[in-house]
Amino acid sequence: MLVKREDSGEWAVVKVLVVDVWPDGGELLHCLMYRSTSERPTPDVVAGLEVLAYHAPLRATAFRGAWEVLGTCAVAPADLVGFHEYLKRVDFRRYLAETGQNLETVVARANSHFAAGGALNDQQRHREAIEEYTRAADLFPLFYEAIDNRGFSYMNIGDYRSALDDFEHSLQIHPDGEAAYFSSGECLLRLGKLDEAEAIFEAGAVDSTQYRELHQKFLGLVRDLRGDGLPSTG
C-alpha cells in the first residue's frame, strides 16, 4: 500500500495488486485506487476506504517522489475484479489463467448465448437478442461475430448509433470483416454522415469481394442524395 500527501492536503491511497516486469527491466504496477482521505490512513483502515478505480495500470516511475510505503496486506479476490476485466480485454489467455478458467468451456458458453441470440432474432425479438449477444461478447471479447450480430439487431430496432459502435469495435478485432465494414457505411448513411458513408462505399466498390455490388449500389444512393440537395454532415 502506497500513500502520498497531495497539494490539497488530502492523502492519496493506492494498493498494488500485481507487478509486471518488462524485458527492459521496467515495471508496470496494476493498482487499486482509493478515494483520497483527509487524514493519513493507517494500514488497518485501508480496506474500508471507498474505491475510486478498481484498476489502474501505472509505471513504477509514477510513484517516485513523495509516495511512501504505508504497509503490506493480502490481495483479496474482490480486489482483482478490475484487473481481471482489464486482462479479459487485452490478454484473454492470461485472463483465463489468472481466473482458473478453461478456454473450451468459456467458448462453449459464449456460443450458447450466440445461438440463443440468433433464435431470438429469427423471432423478431431483437432487444432480447441484443442481451444474448452481449452475454456472448462479454464472455469472449474476441467474438466479433456476436458483436456483428448485435449490431444487426440494433439496426433492426433503428438504433444506428449503437450499431455503428458495434461494427467499428468488430473491425478493431477483425479488420477484414466485410459485413461489418459495409454495415458501418450503411449506419453512417442512415445517420446522415454522407461524407463518411461515401468514403466507405467508394473503397468497398473497389476492394470488397463479398459485397462489391452492394457497395456500388449504396455509393450511387449516397450520390443521388447529395444530388437532391441533402446536406452532408460528414
Side-chain angles (χ1 to χ4, degrees):
M1 295 176 288
L2 303 171
V3 295
K4 181 183 75 169
R5 190 164 193 178
E6 300 177 303
D7 293 340
S8 64
E10 294 192 318
W11 290 86
V13 187
V14 169
K15 184 177 183 177
V16 179
L17 305 173
V18 178
V19 178
D20 285 335
V21 180
W22 303 121
D24 63 2
E27 294 180 330
L28 182 68
L29 278 55
H30 299 277
C31 303
L32 181 69
M33 304 187 72
Y34 297 95
R35 194 167 297 281
S36 298
T37 62
S38 57
E39 298 182 0
R40 179 187 173 95
T42 57
D44 58 316
V45 304
V46 170
L49 296 178
E50 181 182 355
V51 175
L52 181 64
Y54 277 95
H55 178 255
L58 301 168
R59 291 190 176 275
T61 52
F63 295 102
R64 290 174 177 167
W67 286 94
E68 308 172 41
V69 175
L70 180 65
T72 60
C73 65
V75 175
D79 294 337
L80 295 168
V81 172
F83 174 60
H84 289 162
E85 190 64 27
Y86 163 82
L87 287 182
K88 186 192 286 189
R89 307 297 169 184
V90 303
D91 190 343
F92 193 69
R93 290 194 178 276
R94 183 179 174 188
Y95 161 75
L96 293 176
E98 292 277 351
T99 57
Q101 298 185 76
N102 176 272
L103 176 61
E104 288 73 20
T105 300
V106 171
V107 170
R109 290 172 59 200
N111 279 329
S112 177
H113 288 294
F114 180 78
L120 289 165
N121 190 61
D122 290 343
Q123 298 169 37
Q124 307 300 309
R125 295 161 65 183
H126 302 302
R127 295 186 185 277
E128 294 169 85
I130 287 168
E131 293 177 1
E132 289 296 329
Y133 292 134
T134 298
R135 293 186 181 102
D138 186 60
L139 282 165
F140 186 40
L142 301 179
F143 201 167
Y144 65 87
E145 295 95 339
I147 298 168
D148 283 347
N149 279 18
R150 185 174 64 185
F152 300 141
S153 292
Y154 275 126
M155 291 182 74
N156 285 330
I157 63 173
D159 187 351
Y160 296 106
R161 179 68 261 177
S162 294
L164 178 61
D165 289 343
D166 271 350
F167 296 132
E168 290 178 343
H169 182 197
S170 173
L171 288 166
Q172 290 176 353
I173 300 169
H174 182 58
D176 294 331
E178 291 203 29
Y181 187 69
F182 169 76
S183 298
S184 68
E186 184 177 353
C187 288
L188 287 166
L189 171 61
R190 292 182 180 275
L191 290 168
K193 297 181 178 295
L194 300 187
D195 289 348
E196 295 173 58
E198 183 175 21
I200 286 176
F201 296 139
E202 278 184 329
V206 175
D207 299 330
S208 179
T209 58
Q210 298 180 11
Y211 301 101
R212 185 174 300 174
E213 290 185 3
L214 272 176
H215 279 284
Q216 293 170 345
K217 175 182 176 180
F218 275 70
L219 178 60
L221 177 59
V222 170
R223 290 175 174 169
D224 286 344
L225 290 171
R226 186 77 45 73
D228 288 339
L230 295 182
S232 168
T233 60

